Amino acid sequence: MEIFVIRHGQTKWNQEARWQGSMDIELDEVGILQAENLANALKDLSFSKIYASPLSRAKVTAETIAGQLNLEVEYLEDLKEICLGPWQGKTSEEAYAHNPELFTLWEKEPEREIGFGIESYGGLQKRAVKVLTDICQGTDENCLIVSHGAWIRALVSHILYIPLNERLCFDIDNTSITVIKYNPKKNRFKIKTLNDINHLKNLSE
């Protein structure tokens, strides 16, 4: 089976390079257009189900796709973005200035839990892998997941054996498509397509 993993469309905070985390930030006008283009690109494909993060930027992206495919969306808490506590709403520079020592620890030791409502990348990765595995074991048909940048990055890093310290070595753009193949006999995941944004070409012309 194949799982199409989608990042939500663009938000104003994406444009401002602000960390959204688990805050509920809506799509901007460009993000809505991106979601519509994505839905149009997927309209001739067949999926058994759409799963999505309940945060509105993912929810609207998923519902736009669902409208084209005539499917219902199931919302799962474990598809939500990494929670960044007091750093949410800040740029990375502002987050560093808020607490340089804590920020450096979080960056250099991504598996370590540091508290203060800040989720580790290791914790994020564990829940991403678990929910994907649960989804795959519940069906043998192709399905679609709409989630977030850090969530997808953590998942792909796991599948490709990329250390979390190197998680920024590839891009996960807004409304990008990452296709994961699942072999149920071996319980193994493979990346078939990474960060496909061909459906956005007309928006940049």
Side-chain angles (χ1 to χ4, degrees), residues 17-31:
R18 296 192 178 278
W19 288 5
Q20 298 174 114
S22 60
M23 292 186 71
D24 203 4
I25 311 302
E26 297 180 352
L27 298 182
D28 63 17
E29 291 182 3
V30 172

Side-chain angles (χ1 to χ4, degrees), residues 6 31 33 52 59 64 79 104-105 126-127 144 157 163 165 178:
I6 309 294
L33 288 174
K59 183 178 181 180
T64 303
L79 297 179
T104 301
L105 181 63
K126 287 177 183 177
R127 67 176 169 89
L144 194 149
S157 295
N165 282 327
T178 293

